Amino acid sequence: AQKITQTQPGMFVQEKEAVTLDCTYDTSDQSYGLFWYKQPSSGEMIFLIYQGSYDEQNATEGRYSLNFQKARKSANLVISASQLGDSAMYFCAMSALSGYNKLIFGAGTRLAVHP
Amino acid sequence: DSGVTQTPKHLITATGQRVTLRCSPRSGDLSVYWYQQSLDQGLQFLIQYYNGEERAKGNILERFSAQQFPDLHSELNLSSLELGDSALYFCASSSGWGTSGPRAYNEQFFGPGTRLTVL
């Protein structure tokens, strides 16, 4: 079985600063994918970044990077130069072949960016 | 815009009723996933279809059913609705090849969701 844990229910950051959102996972699969999604107040789920379990380099997508530490089973999201529009819920998720690639989500972290 | 469409956007109905939620995946995507987001349960996987066939089931109630049609759109049917069924229902699609393929865990793109309110 797979499990995602996000221990930070809420975080706040000053505009233009960097912030790290924590995510740990548990799985017995050797091959899996880790994802971060953003959910603004409007409700849609926006894909941000992906990391494969065999990828040696940390994934980056613009201001988003994923700090992947396989031995520690962590996949933290780093947002650099925060913007007011980054205020939203952020979900960490994973999928694995054994689970038919369904996404298992964490409880989410609500990020508030202050001017 | 993810390319995934869902209708209707909002649905208000009464307990005991039946509703159908519709999803059109991104062009070329063969996999469709349904998720339920509620305040008490969070985001939960319900069911997956791949090219018309059911592939995986999650915490889907027996009162709920789904199908994927030859044109790859999918419908989620919810019957004998209860107050606790009120939630945001998402459809997501991916180009995944089911349980194998070069990128078997590729990203899923979500539709805007259908907000169901059961009164």
Side-chain angles (χ1 to χ4, degrees), chain A residues 2 14 27 30-31 37 45 49 51 59 62 65 69 71 78-79 95 115:
Chain A
Q2 297 130 33
Q14 290 294 126
T27 182
Q30 296 301 308
S31 177
Y37 285 84
M45 294 289 286
I49 197 167
Q51 178 88 38
S65 60
Q69 297 185 49
V78 180
I79 305 175
S95 70

Side-chain angles (χ1 to χ4, degrees), chain B:
Chain B
D1 186 351
S2 67
V4 179
T5 60
Q6 286 187 251
T7 55
K9 192 168 177 62
H10 299 279
L11 200 47
I12 301 174
T13 188
T15 54
Q17 295 298 306
R18 172 189 169 94
V19 296
T20 298
L21 313 184
R22 183 189 167 102
C23 167
S24 293
R26 292 188 317 160
S27 177
D29 283 356
L30 299 178
S31 275
V32 168
Y33 302 77
W34 286 97
Y35 295 89
Q36 178 195 58
Q37 185 178 27
S38 61
L39 286 174
D40 55 344
Q41 302 281 354
L43 267 160
Q44 287 198 102
F45 166 73
L46 294 178
I47 197 164
Q48 180 208 359
Y49 280 83
Y50 175 74
N51 202 20
E53 293 187 8
E54 181 186 304
R55 282 284 179 162
K57 264 187 174 180
N59 297 324
I60 187 166
L61 300 171
E62 286 191 10
R63 300 183 285 108
F64 296 1
S65 64
Q67 54 184 326
Q68 186 179 28
F69 294 87
D71 66 352
L72 300 177
H73 91 271
S74 179
E75 293 181 356
L76 179 66
N77 300 296
L78 315 177
S79 61
S80 302
L81 285 168
E82 301 175 0
L83 296 177
D85 297 328
S86 296
L88 188 52
Y89 291 85
F90 286 107
C91 162
S93 76
S94 79
S95 58
W97 292 9
T99 59
S100 63
R103 189 166 173 162
Y105 36 78
N106 45 349
E107 60 266 32
Q108 297 176 23
F109 293 90
F110 281 70
T114 293
R115 186 168 295 280
L116 173 67
T117 303
V118 182
L119 301 176

